[in-house]
Amino acid sequence: MRINSKWMMPVLAALLAAPQAWAMTIFTCEPEYAALARELAPEANVSSATTALQDPHHVQARPSLIAKLRRADLAICAGADLEVGWLPMLQMKANNRKVRDGQPGMLYAAQHLEALGRLERVDRSMGDVHAGGNPHFHFSPSRIQTMAEVIAAKLVELDPDNEPQYRANLTEFSQRWSQATTRWRTQAAPLKGKRVIAYHTSFQYLFDWLGMEQAGDLEPKPGLPPTTGHLAQLLKLTETTPIMAVIYTGYQDGRGAQWLGQRAGLPVVQLPFGPGVEGAADLFQLYDTNIALLLAAMEESDV
C-alpha cells in the first residue's frame, strides 16, 4: 500500500512538536530517591548509585556510575555529607555541568528537610557522625511527602512541557501515601514506647515516627564495629532495661547483633533499609515489611 506523503508530513510534524512525556534521565545516590522518582516520572530513565544492601557512605566511583551521571538531567541525593566521600569525585569525572553543586539539576534532600540529630560541633573523637544531622530521611513519612513535592517541582522546572503529567502523578502518589500512612500508624500503635538496641542510627527516623526508643547502639562509636567489651556492656543493659529486639540491616555485619540476641534471649531482626530488595519492592512495601517485622519481634519478645 502506497502512503500519501501529503498526509504524512503534517502527522510527522505534529508528533515532533508534541511534548515528549518523561524524557528525563534521573540519577539518584540512594534507592529510596530512585523509587520516589519512578512514582513521579514512571517513564523516566532512573538509576541509583547504591542498593539497600550497600552502605551509602562508601561507594566507588565506578565507570558505570560515571557514565550514568554524565547522562543525567537530574541527580537526587540525601546530602548532609552522606555522600561526601564519593559523590564529588563522581561529579568531577562525569563532567556534567547540569548536576554540579549549585546547578538546577543537582538536588539534595537535606537542603529541603529538617534533620534529626544536628550537631553544633564535630571532631574525629566522635566517630563517623554528620554535623548536618541524620541523612536517612526516608523512614519519615512526612519527609517522604515533602520530598515528593520538591522532586515534582524540580521536574516541572527542568521539563515544563510535561507539567500536567508530573502534577497528576504527585497528586496520585500523595493520596496513596496519605492513606498508607494512616494505616501504618494504626498498625504500628502497639510499638509506641518499645525499646530496641540497633546498629548505628540507621532507623532513627522510623523509631522517632513510631514513638520507639533506641536504648543502645551496637557501635561503640559511629562507624566502628562492635567490640567484645561494648557488647558486654549492652548485655548488662538488657538485664536492667526491657528491650524488645536487636535491630540491624542488610549491609551491616550481623555477628554482633546475633551474639547479643542469643545471650540476652532477644529477637534479632534484620530490617530492609531501602526499596529494591526482597519484600520491599517500593517505598510502600518497605514500610509494610518493616512494621510487620517489628510487630512480629514484639510478639516474640513479649515485652
Side-chain angles (χ1 to χ4, degrees):
M1 181 178 67
R2 296 182 62 184
I3 300 176
N4 192 328
S5 60
K6 180 177 68 173
W7 298 104
M8 282 298 297
M9 293 304 293
V11 173
L12 288 172
L15 288 173
L16 290 172
Q20 299 299 305
W22 303 294
M24 300 282 291
T25 296
I26 303 173
F27 175 96
T28 71
C29 290
E30 293 84 27
E32 53 267 25
Y33 299 113
L36 192 52
R38 292 187 183 104
E39 295 281 354
L40 302 170
E43 295 186 19
N45 179 12
V46 182
S47 63
S48 174
T50 61
T51 74
L53 298 176
Q54 290 177 274
D55 185 345
H57 297 82
H58 307 291
V59 177
Q60 291 184 341
R62 303 187 305 275
S64 60
L65 294 183
I66 295 169
K68 289 177 180 178
L69 188 59
R70 183 175 293 135
R71 295 191 295 266
D73 301 302
L74 170 64
I76 308 170
C77 299
D81 290 338
L82 176 61
E83 309 93 355
V84 70
W86 56 273
L87 182 59
M89 177 64 72
L90 203 62
Q91 290 171 308
M92 182 185 71
K93 291 187 175 182
N95 195 27
N96 179 352
R97 181 169 184 158
K98 295 179 184 177
V99 293
R100 291 176 184 169
D101 285 5
Q103 295 302 311
M106 188 66 236
L107 178 60
Y108 290 108
Q111 295 178 349
H112 301 273
L113 303 175
E114 181 181 354
L116 298 176
R118 287 182 176 271
L119 299 171
E120 294 294 330
R121 180 185 62 85
V122 172
D123 59 54
R124 290 185 177 182
S125 69
M126 302 168 70
D128 185 12
V129 297
H130 302 281
N134 191 319
H136 307 302
F137 303 108
H138 60 292
F139 283 114
S140 165
S142 63
R143 289 174 175 84
I144 284 288
Q145 176 59 40
T146 298
M147 276 310 297
E149 295 166 7
V150 169
I151 293 171
K154 179 60 68 174
L155 291 169
V156 170
E157 176 188 342
L158 298 177
D159 185 20
D161 287 344
N162 291 300
E163 179 176 357
Q165 290 91 341
Y166 297 132
R167 297 293 185 197
N169 291 338
L170 173 62
T171 298
E172 194 270 343
F173 170 80
S174 299
Q175 291 173 347
R176 290 169 55 224
W177 192 250
S178 177
Q179 293 168 358
T181 299
T182 300
R183 172 170 55 83
W184 293 325
R185 189 178 294 113
T186 300
Q187 290 175 339
L191 294 169
K192 186 175 182 179
K194 301 299 182 183
R195 297 182 178 94
V196 296
I197 293 172
Y199 208 123
H200 198 60
T201 53
S202 302
F203 296 98
Q204 183 179 9
Y205 289 93
L206 180 64
F207 298 152
D208 179 73
W209 174 55
L210 297 178
M212 300 175 66
E213 178 186 344
Q214 182 172 336
D217 193 328
L218 286 161
E219 295 177 316
K221 287 184 179 180
L224 298 180
T227 62
T228 302
H230 182 66
L231 290 172
Q233 291 178 355
L234 292 176
L235 184 58
K236 288 183 179 180
L237 175 66
T238 67
E239 297 170 357
T240 59
T241 304
I243 301 295
M244 186 188 86
V246 182
I247 307 293
Y248 72 109
T249 192
Y251 67 81
Q252 295 161 341
D253 190 339
R255 289 175 294 180
Q258 296 293 342
W259 184 95
L260 181 61
Q262 289 172 4
R263 283 158 179 78
L266 294 173
V268 179
V269 186
Q270 180 180 322
L271 297 180
F273 192 62
V277 295
E278 184 177 357
D282 57 22
L283 288 166
F284 292 89
Q285 288 188 16
L286 177 66
Y287 276 71
D288 283 336
T289 297
N290 279 352
I291 290 173
L293 288 171
L294 288 172
L295 288 171
M298 183 189 69
E299 292 294 327
E300 183 180 347
S301 67
D302 198 29
V303 171

